[in-house]
Amino acid sequence: MSAAGGRPVERPVTDPPTWPPLWPPVQPPVQPPVQSMVRLSAPAVAPPSAVTPVPPLAPEEPLEPGPPPSRRARRAGHQDAGWLRRNAWGLVALPFAVTLAVGWDVHVVLNQRAAERPSVTATVPAGGWGTSGQVRYRVASVDRVTERLDKYGLPVKLPAGSVLWRSHVDVVVPAGVKAPGCVTRLVDREGRRFDDGPRGTSALKATPCPLDVDDGPGTGTGTSAGAPPAGSSAPPSRSAAPPTPPPPSTERAVQVSLLYLLPDGARPTQLWIASTDQVPHYLALTVPSTAS
Amino acid sequence: MSPLGPGLADRARETAVRLPRLLTAGVLVVLTVLAGSWLDRVNGPGNGDDRPFVVTGRTGETVDARKLDVAVLGMRGGAVITSYHKPVDTAGVWLLVRIRVTPRSESGGLGWARLTDGRGRRFNLTGRVDQPMTVTTSQPGLPIEGELVFEVPRDVMGPISVQLAFPPIDQRMDAVAEVELPELTAATVAGWVATTAPLTLAGTPS
């Protein structure tokens, strides 16, 4: 820094400021008493005449608790302890950590496998209602398709050795619930599972999921199928008359129809159905024995 | 008194004590990682423990590939193939393998195929032309037939085989059908190359 005339300003030389120490001063180590050194070097035995009576000791005052040992001192003492003692907490925690790590990994893998594999959560007898999510389902009928023409009036072409089947499923959606889609599979006596909507059948009459159901109460589209209370098992009914009319303000009932392509000779025994938010956990609805 | 001062001297002494321990711990960590890497290489993926279960067969035979029954019906080749109504040529040769696929217990179709020639070279399905057999599914018990297209060099010859499987991506721990194809000769390949008429996939499901 310079003054206006360009000459440096002279300042008086002063001592540098003294800052408080960053660390507290370290006390020098306490030297052992000189007596012990004398005793070790040369035993001095005083003549009996020189013995002076020792004044009685004053009663010792109770030791006051000193300051806690510093962190460094504690660490030093810790390192002096045995390995087992130093790592005791780690050893205790290790089995839990290993179990958690491996167990969680296994849990994730098992969940992934389970999600890929379809499973049946409940088997419903013929004509009975089953619930998947919040929606109830019942198989009304499963029949061979006898139509020879599709909706455009063209002949239906099926692969050689195959037979087309159509299922009618009654669906009841609670009020206020957005109607989900559904996934179905028709199962035959041999346990083979057939997807709905096989290729080449798009021109045939079907009403697949997702359900065309309004969210308003009692405004379901499609054929009314009745809605008995959940869990009840009603006999199979092909008539449009519902056995127990549902309260119109609480539920909506529709009927979907789905197509399946089976080899000739296969007989459907179950219809697996699941709301889309429940896949791969299916309901197994037993097909009425009237299926032909 | 140390020239560094009492506090720094203690620190230096402590560091001198701790440094070997830290180095030892570091060396142990490195050794553990190296041991894990070695174990992974010896015991991990690719060592054969999780290889697919190969079921072999011959042309014309039905081979069980767990979720599918597959059969190789024949093969042919050519220099030009029609895909999406346009001819597609190659510097090698188009090799078409005709197969029949029948799902066994649930709906599905062929997910993966690979060709191996006599030199051990492996050829995946070509992506240059349409491959309808890999996207077509069928119902259990209902077969579908079609052709797979491989693009191979003109020096392919000797015993060749085709591998077929249901999983499209990961065939480990799953069944793979391996079917031997008729042995290719140089004359056969030369005849294919000389064919100028474009090949059209036969039996392609709609």
Side-chain angles (χ1 to χ4, degrees), chain B residues 79-112:
Chain B
V80 183
I81 190 171
T82 301
S83 179
Y84 300 110
H85 308 292
K86 291 181 180 178
V88 182
D89 59 3
T90 173
V93 61
W94 297 113
L95 197 156
L96 278 61
V97 180
R98 186 177 178 87
I99 62 169
R100 181 175 59 230
V101 177
T102 309
R104 291 170 62 88
S105 62
E106 58 185 302
S107 306
L110 184 76
W112 176 83

Side-chain angles (χ1 to χ4, degrees), chain A residues 23 26 72 75 79-80 86 118 159-162 185 191-196 198-199 261-264, chain B residues 6-7 10-11 14 17-18 21 103-108 136-144 205-206:
Chain A
W23 304 94
V26 178
R72 186 173 299 171
R75 192 187 305 159
Q79 288 176 350
D80 291 341
R86 277 187 283 121
S162 64
R185 292 177 174 188
R192 297 180 295 184
R193 301 186 291 269
F194 302 84
D195 291 351
D196 63 77
R199 63 186 168 88
L261 198 61
L262 275 65
D264 194 11
Chain B
D10 287 347
R11 280 186 166 187
E14 185 177 333
V17 170
R18 295 185 62 190
R21 295 180 179 176
R104 291 170 62 88
S105 62
E106 58 185 302
S107 306
T136 305
T137 61
S138 184
Q139 305 300 315
L142 296 176
I144 48 175
S206 57

